[in-house]
Amino acid sequence: MPDTATRRFSRMAARLGLATNLHALQHYSATELIAAGVDVRTVAGRLGHGGGGATTLRVYAAWLSESDQRAASALSARMPSRPRLR
C-alpha cells in the first residue's frame, strides 16, 4: 500500500498533538540539511529527487534567517579593508 507511511505518520502526529504531515517533514528535513551545510546533491538523493538538486532547491529549501546571517558574515569577512584616508 503506497500510502501506508503517510497514514501511520498522520496517526502518530495526531496522537502526539502535532499539526503536521509527512510532506511538511520532508520540507523541514531538506531545509535543515541544507542549512547544516549538507550538499544539495546528497539532500536531493535522500528525498528521491533527480536532476542534480534543482527541484530540491526550488521547492524544498526554505529561506532561513540564520543561514542569511552566516552568508552576510562570510561576505563581510571576504571584503577588502577600507583604505585609510590621509
Side-chain angles (χ1 to χ4, degrees), residues 25-26 29-30 32-34 38-50 53 56 60:
L25 183 61
Q26 192 172 20
S29 175
E32 292 300 315
L33 288 171
I34 291 169
V38 175
D39 65 280
V40 175
R41 286 189 182 267
T42 300
V43 175
R46 291 180 63 88
L47 298 175
H49 295 161
T56 305
Y60 290 91

Side-chain angles (χ1 to χ4, degrees), residues 58-70:
R58 185 172 28 83
V59 177
Y60 290 91
W63 178 87
L64 293 176
S65 176
E66 172 187 315
S67 295
D68 186 56
Q69 289 296 317
R70 282 196 313 268

